[in-house]
Amino acid sequence: QRHYDDTPIVLSLIVRIHRTKHHCSLQQPTPSLACSKMVSSSLRLIAAVPVVFVSAKLVSKLLNTLLNPTRTGPPTANVGLLKFFSQIANPQQIIPFLLGLHKTHGHVYRVQTPMFCPEIFVVADWKTLDLILEGNKQLGCEEADKPAFAYRAVSDYTLGIPNIVSKMTNGEGPVHGWAWARKGLAPAFSRNNLYKQLDALQNEVERMVKNLQESSTSLNLTHFVNVHVMRMLCASMFLVDLNDIPERDAASEIINWSDSALIEVMARLSNPLRKFKFWGPSVRMQGADDLMSEAGRMIEMYSSKRSEEEIQKCPSAIGHLLRSPYPDEKTRTAEMSILLLAGAETTAHSIVFTLWEMFKNPQLLQKARSELDAVNPLRGAWDKEKLASLEYIGNVMNEGLRKWPTVPFQLRFLPQDTPCGDFLLPKGSLCPTFFFGAARTGLKDPERFDPDRWSKLSGGQSSGGQTSGGQTVGEDAEQDTLRRFSGFSKGKRNCVGKELALLELKLIIATLIQRIDLDIVKEPEIFAAGTLKPKELMVTASARPSGQAANL
């Protein structure tokens, strides 16, 4: 292993094997005979490598079984490796498939795998998830990283160029790694900076209200909210007003390109050979290519209108992108592209899920409007203080994020044996972290949308989707789940833009509930291609009468 790249030593080994096996002297061989025999021996050596690897794996598992005859673990689901990955890569089947296994086998269960594959444990227990996602120094547990193939899949979104999401936690150096990129972008997403962008965000919300009030036919609320959240992201973080591009609907194009890329990456996870079908536009990642081009145009649009001094002082994300010493412009553009892809869709879908639930429940809608009318009776612009006082709307946001987590699961590799109840999940296991199931663990009637369950939480809860994750000794299972819940993942790689998402969630949900009446025409289809999506929620919209009381 120390000399795997030392050609003379490798050739010497091959010659020795050749001489011993065939009992012939190579002192004066004919060139063609020596070459052919050396190649033949080399191929046999190469072919032996996987056999030795598989044999070692089998022997290891056999010894482990013999030495630990009483070893117990979580129940094993009656599903094989191929079926498991084909189902989780299916956008329409992943949620019912995993939820069905969760209800049948409990919060943690094993997936059947061949002897030469890592063990797979699906985890939907928050105590174990905390150890996997955050680690615990007292227990000697490190934070688990995603598998390399998951990072490679994310880099496909940016045509193979590394980005802040695709760089491995433990595989990158201090320069140009994920931590370096995150440190450069984090100040743009701080609360202090975001409240400086509140006017830009409210201007787009006013456009939303106007468009809804003027709509005369049913509309796709999912796409509608996506478009406006994308415009909010570009206006606040990249200082580019997409409304200033009259010749095309840039926001809709970005959303369509993002959806195309997401669906293709999920298809590749279930069929790794799909990428070789180069003649298909989706397989060629045309959506990702177009998204990269748009990101480059935005950087050029911003740079051409600002001086170097303005760029150096710019507190928004694009200023930090331009100031940071990326190795080349392609990497800078890839970073911008992944922010476009990840920065709007998840927030928009959380908003749509929450509005869908609220307008299906008149009593909840009445309670929310009572609070909104009391805090903002003139229905004017929202400021920092008014938004902070919306306690019930904060509970509504929490419940929307709980019932419909926009990232339903992730994949993690365990770096060490990890405690899980009365047994250990072995080192090297692959753990799909099933947040959708975990958000239902221990709750009474978990499918019911109930914002009031958050008001019963005793201590440690922050409004708007953040919880303390502290000690839960003496609390019941429901409070344990709510306290540990997070809508933005946990650990070092949690969502860098969560403060922006929370601000957009509260601003849009509060404004639309107070000023718009929505009638649901068609229920959405639940679609999960990387993120959870309410596909085609069709509604009709009208202005809520200005003199209407909070009661319905």
Side-chain angles (χ1 to χ4, degrees), residues 51-65:
V51 175
V52 171
F53 173 79
V54 172
S55 300
K57 193 76 174 178
L58 291 173
V59 170
S60 175
K61 287 200 172 186
L62 179 61
L63 287 175
N64 187 52
T65 302

Side-chain angles (χ1 to χ4, degrees), residues 14-228:
I14 294 172
V15 170
R16 289 181 185 179
I17 293 174
H18 175 88
R19 181 185 298 136
T20 303
K21 186 173 180 64
H22 297 284
H23 307 285
C24 65
S25 172
L26 295 182
Q27 298 297 321
Q28 294 178 342
T30 60
S32 60
L33 178 63
C35 183
S36 64
K37 289 187 175 182
M38 288 174 66
V39 170
S40 176
S41 298
S42 302
L43 292 175
R44 281 194 288 271
L45 280 175
I46 294 171
V49 170
V51 175
V52 171
F53 173 79
V54 172
S55 300
K57 193 76 174 178
L58 291 173
V59 170
S60 175
K61 287 200 172 186
L62 179 61
L63 287 175
N64 187 52
T65 302
L66 292 175
L67 295 174
N68 299 279
T70 60
R71 177 176 177 266
T72 60
T76 301
N78 187 25
V79 57
L81 182 66
L82 293 179
K83 181 180 179 181
F84 179 78
F85 275 100
S86 65
Q87 290 293 314
I88 67 173
N90 186 323
Q92 295 173 301
Q93 294 298 323
I94 175 176
I95 296 301
F97 171 72
L98 289 178
L99 200 57
L101 293 177
H102 173 72
K103 292 178 179 178
T104 302
H105 301 287
H107 310 325
V108 183
Y109 57 87
R110 179 190 285 112
V111 175
Q112 296 177 8
T113 57
M115 291 290 286
F116 56 84
C117 289
E119 292 191 271
I120 298 178
F121 297 91
V122 181
V123 179
D125 169 70
W126 275 114
K127 291 182 180 179
T128 309
L129 285 175
D130 282 349
L131 290 177
I132 293 173
L133 299 173
E134 297 181 298
N136 187 311
K137 291 184 179 180
Q138 294 180 345
L139 297 178
C141 291
E142 297 179 11
E143 178 181 334
D145 204 359
K146 297 184 182 72
F149 69 82
Y151 284 117
R152 286 195 296 270
V154 177
S155 70
D156 286 342
Y157 293 132
T158 48
L159 306 179
I161 302 171
N163 58 69
I164 188 173
V165 183
S166 72
K167 296 172 182 176
M168 296 186 68
T169 303
N170 302 316
E172 299 286 341
V175 179
H176 300 148
W178 75 270
W180 175 87
R182 184 184 176 106
K183 184 177 180 180
L185 285 169
F189 294 98
S190 66
R191 289 188 184 182
N192 289 336
N193 182 60
L194 291 174
Y195 279 112
K196 295 176 183 177
Q197 308 297 329
L198 191 56
D199 288 343
L201 297 175
Q202 291 203 106
N203 288 339
E204 192 58 43
V205 173
E206 286 299 320
R207 290 193 186 97
M208 292 181 72
V209 171
K210 181 181 178 182
N211 291 341
L212 286 171
Q213 290 175 345
E214 295 177 351
S215 64
S216 56
T217 59
S218 63
L219 57 85
N220 181 352
L221 189 66
T222 304
H223 182 75
F224 176 85
V225 175
N226 253 304
V227 166
H228 286 279

Side-chain angles (χ1 to χ4, degrees), residues 536-549:
E536 294 187 1
L537 172 59
M538 303 301 296
V539 301
T540 57
S542 59
R544 179 187 174 210
S546 58
Q548 180 178 327

Side-chain angles (χ1 to χ4, degrees), residues 354-373 392-393 396 449 451-452 509-520 544 548-552:
T354 304
L355 291 175
W356 175 39
E357 293 285 357
M358 290 298 289
F359 281 92
K360 286 194 302 181
N361 293 275
Q363 291 182 338
L364 301 183
L365 193 63
Q366 175 182 346
K367 188 170 183 178
R369 284 177 167 173
S370 296
E371 179 183 65
L372 293 166
D373 290 342
Y392 186 73
I393 294 298
V396 168
F449 187 84
D452 287 324
I509 289 172
T511 303
L512 296 191
I513 286 179
Q514 186 179 36
R515 297 172 60 183
I516 296 294
D517 285 325
L518 295 177
D519 292 318
I520 298 171
R544 179 187 174 210
Q548 180 178 327
N551 57 341
L552 300 180

Side-chain angles (χ1 to χ4, degrees), residues 253-282:
E253 289 180 342
I254 293 172
I255 292 163
N256 292 335
W257 296 331
S258 300
D259 286 345
S260 172
L262 283 167
I263 292 171
E264 177 57 29
V265 168
M266 293 300 294
R268 289 186 181 189
L269 284 176
S270 63
N271 180 12
L273 299 178
R274 180 180 169 85
K275 65 174 63 178
F276 298 108
K277 190 180 176 183
F278 57 86
W279 55 87
S282 63

Side-chain angles (χ1 to χ4, degrees), residues 2 79 401 454 467-468 476:
R2 288 193 299 270
V79 57
L401 291 168
W454 294 90
T467 53
S468 69
D476 63 15

